[in-house]
Amino acid sequence: MKRPFHMNRLLQGDVGSGKTVVAAIVMYAAITAGFQAALMAPTEILAEQHANNLQALFEGFPVNIVILTGSTKPAVRKEILPRIESGELNLIIGTHALIQDTVQYHKLGLVVIDEQHRFGVGQRQALREKGDNPDVLAMTATPIPRTLAITSYGRWIFPSLMNCRLVANQYRHTGSKVRRSTRRFNSLRVNFRQAIRHTWSHR
């Protein structure tokens, strides 16, 4: 993100490999640089999950999170849309509602698209056009052939978190899948918060 050209990156990794933590670090970098970040997910359930996880990660930090979906009540939309446009809310999480004409951003500097293969090219482009050529981080656990073809032709830089399977495997014998997932997330959250506090203390 410090390079003179804008980021256009596809992050691939298995479920539980840490994609959300990577996205959180990138979003925090954009926010502390004075920009807004938007995270678009394909379903309301996934958007709510991201919102809950990021609320926990960013507790105590200067990040103002809001969730905006198709089921957001009109009264709530009326209250939050001006705050998005003014820049008061700097991390906007939602579904296709993020690309509606009524949603105007103050200074959108980063777009994060989860499960990017579930969005059309036009939908991804519509979110990018909400800002002035913002950085883009797309994430997927299951890249489809079209996605891989795009990376082959150089449209996306293509890092992977495949080695992070080791993080998941160390909890193989600790109980149920739910407990393993909870412990992995809590471990990643502790490391993330320590890194952010170190960065914040040196600003």
Side-chain angles (χ1 to χ4, degrees):
M1 293 176 69
K2 292 183 178 180
R3 295 179 179 179
F5 52 88
H6 290 269
M7 177 177 71
N8 194 26
R9 188 176 294 268
L10 172 68
L11 179 62
Q12 191 271 331
D14 291 341
V15 174
S17 63
K19 297 188 297 296
T20 300
V21 173
V22 173
I25 294 171
V26 175
M27 289 187 287
Y28 186 78
I31 290 168
T32 53
F35 294 93
Q36 290 172 302
L39 191 161
M40 185 166 68
T43 66
E44 292 190 10
I45 292 176
L46 187 54
E48 291 172 358
Q49 178 183 330
H50 280 308
N52 292 334
N53 289 340
L54 291 171
Q55 285 280 11
L57 285 171
F58 287 123
E59 183 180 0
F61 295 101
V63 178
N64 299 319
I65 300 175
V66 67
I67 183 168
L68 181 64
T69 68
S71 64
T72 301
K73 295 180 178 180
V76 176
R77 288 177 59 88
K78 184 177 180 180
E79 187 269 330
I80 65 176
L81 289 181
R83 298 173 65 195
I84 294 174
E85 188 171 3
S86 70
E88 177 186 351
L89 298 172
N90 49 26
L91 176 50
I92 303 91
I93 302 169
T95 55
H96 303 75
L98 298 185
I99 62 176
Q100 293 177 345
D101 292 339
T102 54
V103 183
Q104 300 296 324
Y105 298 84
H106 176 69
K107 194 176 182 182
L108 184 60
L110 174 67
V111 167
V112 179
I113 303 173
D114 195 16
E115 297 293 335
Q116 64 81 31
H117 59 279
R118 298 178 65 178
F119 293 98
V121 174
Q123 292 170 326
R124 297 197 298 266
Q125 184 63 27
L127 185 55
R128 293 187 64 169
E129 291 177 352
K130 290 288 188 178
D132 184 15
N133 196 19
D135 289 319
V136 177
L137 176 65
M139 303 189 296
T140 183
T142 53
I144 61 176
R146 183 183 67 182
T147 299
L148 296 177
I150 292 173
T151 64
S152 297
Y153 285 103
R155 294 287 299 278
W156 267 328
I157 300 174
F158 185 45
S160 175
L161 291 176
M162 296 301 291
N163 290 337
C164 290
R165 288 176 178 174
L166 297 174
V167 177
N169 289 339
Q170 62 182 302
Y171 298 106
R172 183 181 301 168
H173 304 295
T174 61
S176 71
K177 182 178 180 180
V178 173
R179 289 199 299 272
R180 292 199 304 272
S181 298
T182 300
R183 291 185 62 178
R184 285 200 301 273
F185 175 75
N186 287 339
S187 176
L188 290 169
R189 179 170 65 178
V190 169
N191 292 336
F192 169 80
R193 290 177 66 82
Q194 288 176 344
I196 292 300
R197 288 193 185 281
H198 176 76
T199 301
W200 189 251
S201 67
H202 288 79
R203 286 180 63 83

